[in-house]
Amino acid sequence: MVREKIRVSTRTLKWKCVESRADSKRLYYGRFILSPLMKGQADTIGIAMRKALLGEIEGTCITSAKSEKIPHEYSTIVGIQESVHEILMNLKEIVLRSNLYGTRDASICVKGPGCVTAQDIILPPSVEIVDNTQHIANLTEPINLCIELKIERNRGYRIQTPNNLQDASYPIDAIFMPVRNANHSIHSYVNGNEKQEILFLEIWTNGSLTPKEALHEASRNLIDLFIPFLHAEEENFHFKTNKQKVTLPIFTFHEKLAKLRKKEIALKYIFIDQLELPPRIYNCLKRSNIHTLFDLLNNSPDELIKLKHFSIEDVKHILDILEMENSFP
């Protein structure tokens, strides 16, 4: 076990592993701190990290088993102490470590009598067993036990559904999560006149990776989820912080209104549906109770800019439509 004293820095944000231990080959524990944080930040980071640790880290496990001698999942085989269902449950618990992608084949081929363990699994080169002593079955007679296995790397968990035994294989519920549990806690303190926080993260893993490795991978995966927002196209976001100061074209709605009145057009009977506006602009006007050309022209450009989800570009677009001679009957 490794323990370190906690030293809180008041200048820069730092993280540190304050405790780490291996309780067994399949249970690692780590405790980490992050500080100093402003009030409320520790809970924000803690919740996000816990979800990323439990749901975003990939793991490897056995997802199906196949043997021609097995009539059905709940049968028993002469010479084997465990039922087929118990063997499948034991295979489900095997902890593997790999960097493979997709599905790989593995197998077990053992002659009894004797104990079958994880060490008897013949694996592809990219996969290794964390604990070779994990029990699979006991062979009580001199029989051959041959099982074909499928190994897959993924994240989260997957509950398998029966496949009607078309290929004589048995699906195994897959728990890909290498992090068995993750907790966070918060210590608050006062630094001068400012309230600050320390975030404590506790991580338990199945041995396929250390808690420190899990923390690094969860952090990278969490960052990857937010990268698209950092690279969003600028033109998709037309936020104007000072819309009143934007210069509009010289042509105004009131000038257009005067021209239309000279033509004696019944403005109240010309609906905005006839203007062929883009759907977003049309919906914005409808939500603001602007249904006819009369309603539209009674609003100045400055008043339209104040509408919810409306921009200066939308106003210019409406002006362009109104300037077209063929826009109205």
Side-chain angles (χ1 to χ4, degrees):
M1 183 190 301
V2 179
R3 289 181 180 270
E4 295 184 18
K5 292 183 179 180
I6 302 173
R7 297 178 182 178
V8 179
S9 170
T10 58
R11 295 182 180 178
T12 58
L13 192 63
K14 293 183 179 180
W15 75 275
K16 182 186 293 186
C17 177
V18 295
E19 184 178 353
S20 64
R21 65 173 185 263
D23 294 332
S24 67
K25 291 182 178 180
R26 288 178 282 137
L27 184 59
Y28 286 16
Y29 171 80
R31 191 166 182 250
F32 307 86
I33 63 168
L34 180 68
S35 66
L37 296 164
M38 297 175 62
K39 184 179 179 182
Q41 289 182 336
D43 201 38
T44 300
I45 298 172
I47 292 173
M49 284 303 303
R50 185 175 186 275
K51 288 183 175 294
L53 285 164
L54 294 174
E56 297 299 329
I57 301 179
E58 293 185 344
T60 306
C61 59
I62 299 171
T63 56
S64 73
K66 177 181 178 181
S67 179
E68 296 179 354
K69 295 183 179 180
I70 301 176
H72 58 82
E73 181 179 348
Y74 297 99
S75 62
T76 57
I77 301 176
V78 177
I80 301 179
Q81 182 175 324
E82 291 81 4
S83 67
V84 173
H85 179 73
E86 290 173 327
I87 294 174
L88 294 176
M89 292 301 100
N90 292 337
L91 290 171
K92 176 182 176 180
E93 298 297 324
I94 301 295
V95 179
L96 303 172
R97 181 190 294 115
S98 80
N99 56 359
L100 64 82
Y101 291 94
T103 304
R104 296 289 187 275
D105 294 326
S107 62
I108 299 173
C109 194
V110 181
K111 184 175 182 179
C115 182
V116 183
T117 64
Q119 187 175 4
D120 297 309
I121 301 176
I122 303 171
L123 295 167
S126 57
V127 184
E128 59 181 284
I129 296 171
V130 171
D131 185 1
N132 287 329
T133 65
Q134 283 190 265
H135 179 76
I136 296 176
N138 279 318
L139 305 184
T140 58
E141 297 182 13
I143 63 170
N144 291 323
L145 177 63
C146 293
I147 304 175
E148 298 177 18
L149 304 173
K150 293 288 184 182
I151 295 175
E152 185 179 342
R153 180 179 174 87
N154 211 319
R155 65 183 182 89
Y157 64 91
R158 184 172 64 211
I159 299 177
Q160 301 283 19
T161 55
N163 56 4
N164 298 324
L165 305 181
Q166 292 179 356
D167 58 352
S169 65
Y170 295 86
I172 299 174
D173 292 342
I175 303 176
F176 297 105
M177 301 179 293
V179 175
R180 292 304 186 212
N181 195 14
N183 289 329
H184 82 277
S185 58
I186 301 169
H187 171 68
S188 301
Y189 64 97
V190 178
N191 183 17
N193 295 326
E194 184 181 1
K195 289 186 178 181
Q196 295 184 337
E197 297 177 339
I198 303 174
L199 172 65
F200 291 84
L201 277 172
E202 293 182 288
I203 303 172
W204 290 262
T205 69
N206 65 358
S208 62
L209 76 174
T210 66
K212 183 178 179 180
E213 291 171 336
L215 185 63
H216 287 178
E217 188 168 343
S219 300
R220 286 195 297 268
N221 292 341
L222 197 59
I223 291 170
D224 289 342
L225 292 175
F226 288 97
I227 283 179
F229 294 105
L230 298 178
H231 297 287
E233 292 297 330
E234 208 171 64
E235 56 267 22
N236 292 336
F237 299 93
H238 297 290
F239 297 113
K240 301 294 182 179
T241 57
N242 200 356
K243 295 179 180 179
Q244 298 285 345
K245 296 182 180 180
V246 179
T247 303
L248 289 170
I250 298 176
F251 184 88
T252 64
F253 281 105
H254 295 294
E255 291 174 357
K256 185 64 181 178
L257 177 59
K259 290 183 179 180
L260 290 173
R261 281 174 175 167
K262 287 180 181 179
K263 295 183 179 181
E264 297 181 354
I265 296 178
L267 302 179
K268 291 184 179 180
Y269 299 100
I270 300 178
F271 293 89
I272 61 173
D273 310 59
Q274 299 171 248
L275 301 183
E276 298 183 358
L277 297 169
R280 188 179 61 79
I281 298 178
Y282 174 81
N283 292 331
C284 286
L285 295 175
K286 279 290 189 179
R287 283 195 296 267
S288 301
N289 293 320
I290 297 175
H291 305 290
T292 67
L293 186 58
F294 182 83
D295 299 332
L296 177 60
L297 297 175
N298 274 338
N299 287 273
S300 68
D302 290 338
E303 290 172 331
L304 284 176
I305 294 174
K306 295 178 183 179
L307 298 180
K308 190 175 181 181
H309 304 307
F310 222 72
S311 69
I312 184 64
E313 298 298 329
D314 298 331
V315 175
K316 290 179 179 179
H317 189 83
I318 292 176
L319 289 170
D320 292 339
I321 292 177
L322 293 178
E323 285 180 327
M324 295 174 61
E325 292 293 334
N326 297 328
S327 295
F328 314 103

